Amino acid sequence: DAGVIQSPRHEVTEMGQEVTLRCKPISGHNSLFWYRQTMMRGLELLIYFNNNVPIDDSGMPEDRFSAKMPNASFSTLKIQPSEPRDSAVYFCASSSGGVNQPQHFGDGTRLSIL
Amino acid sequence: EDQVTQSPEALRLQEGESSSLNCSYTVSGLRGLFWYRQDPGKGPEFLFTLYSAGEEKEKERLKATLTKKESFLHITAPKPEDSATYLCALGDYGQNFVFGPGTRLSVLP
């Protein structure tokens, strides 16, 4: 079975540019999560969706960050405008029933903002 | 606010040398305590879920246990392929979810 698929795997861009990260969850999973991982702050939950509806976006750091889930098989995380402090690894995960079910992670997008 | 701490931060073991990793937490209403393994360049991989104090789960050389304040991940006779970062996380009844900082485990041949 295909796991969670994220693209791109690596992204290098200049400060001020718009960045879009993409995620395809595991088929049949109804919950999707976006995380950010840094050495300083570890793994932080940014936002999660149940049945394509955002449930908790309290982890989104600023208005520059936005996430959408237009259908059950696709989600995007957008940063506009990007800043060097946004450099991190961004993970997408999916589960079959919210935060308290096992989450299955993609391999992440390593984002570098110059 | 839910909090999770893990110790030690890093651990080096010789192959076959058993040990335990600790996850301490404070939470208002524990819904589930999760253990994940993360290899370099990869996303975390689910290992166990524990729901109530006294519960134990095992998988190969790993056993996870849970009390009201902490969880332990016991590693019996580890092998070099067990080297990874081990993360614990907890969810509460308010749909909050938080990861601990992790323990980096190195098992030397």
Side-chain angles (χ1 to χ4, degrees):
Chain A
D1 287 344
V4 174
I5 299 172
Q6 293 187 244
S7 64
R9 288 298 313 277
H10 303 273
E11 175 90 11
V12 180
T13 192
E14 293 189 348
M15 175 180 173
Q17 297 296 307
E18 178 178 292
V19 173
T20 300
L21 311 181
R22 297 173 176 81
C23 176
K24 177 179 171 56
I26 292 173
S27 178
H29 281 188
N30 64 340
S31 298
L32 182 139
F33 311 84
W34 282 103
Y35 288 88
R36 178 173 68 177
Q37 188 172 40
T38 61
M39 289 293 293
M40 290 296 294
R41 300 175 67 90
L43 198 58
E44 302 173 281
L45 178 61
L46 300 178
I47 184 171
Y48 75 91
F49 297 81
N50 274 354
N51 298 315
N52 311 339
V53 176
I55 301 301
D56 183 0
D57 66 354
S58 59
M60 296 286 262
E62 300 172 36
D63 291 345
R64 299 183 295 106
F65 287 69
S66 62
K68 293 183 179 179
M69 192 165 186
N71 57 61
S73 59
F74 183 67
S75 177
T76 59
L77 178 68
K78 188 173 292 187
I79 308 173
Q80 167 63 21
S82 58
E83 297 184 3
R85 58 195 169 116
D86 302 330
S87 298
V89 181
Y90 290 81
F91 288 103
C92 176
S94 69
S95 81
S96 59
V99 294
N100 288 300
Q101 292 297 318
Q103 296 175 35
H104 300 265
F105 284 74
D107 283 338
T109 294
R110 182 172 296 276
L111 178 64
S112 297
I113 308 296
L114 306 178
Chain B
E1 183 179 326
D2 300 343
Q3 292 191 337
V4 182
T5 59
Q6 292 187 245
S7 62
E9 183 176 324
L11 181 63
R12 296 180 73 177
L13 299 173
Q14 290 295 132
E15 184 171 2
E17 180 186 1
S18 301
S19 188
S20 296
L21 313 183
N22 175 267
C23 171
S24 295
Y25 63 89
T26 56
V27 64
S28 55
L30 179 69
R31 185 85 183 271
L33 188 292
F34 300 79
W35 282 97
Y36 287 81
R37 168 193 172 126
Q38 185 174 24
D39 292 299
K42 298 288 188 179
E45 176 187 350
F46 171 73
L47 294 173
F48 302 109
T49 309
L50 302 166
Y51 293 104
S52 57
E55 190 175 1
E56 299 183 353
K57 290 198 175 167
E58 288 189 64
K59 179 180 179 180
E60 297 180 356
R61 295 177 292 282
L62 301 177
K63 183 168 81 171
T65 62
L66 181 65
T67 73
K68 289 186 178 180
K69 293 184 178 181
E70 56 192 355
S71 177
F72 292 93
L73 185 65
H74 307 277
I75 303 176
T76 301
K79 298 181 177 182
E81 53 262 42
D82 294 322
S83 298
T85 296
Y86 290 86
L87 299 160
C88 74
L90 61 85
D92 65 20
Y93 279 93
Q95 297 295 309
N96 298 304
F97 193 81
V98 61
F99 271 92
T103 292
R104 290 193 314 277
L105 175 65
S106 299
V107 182
L108 306 177

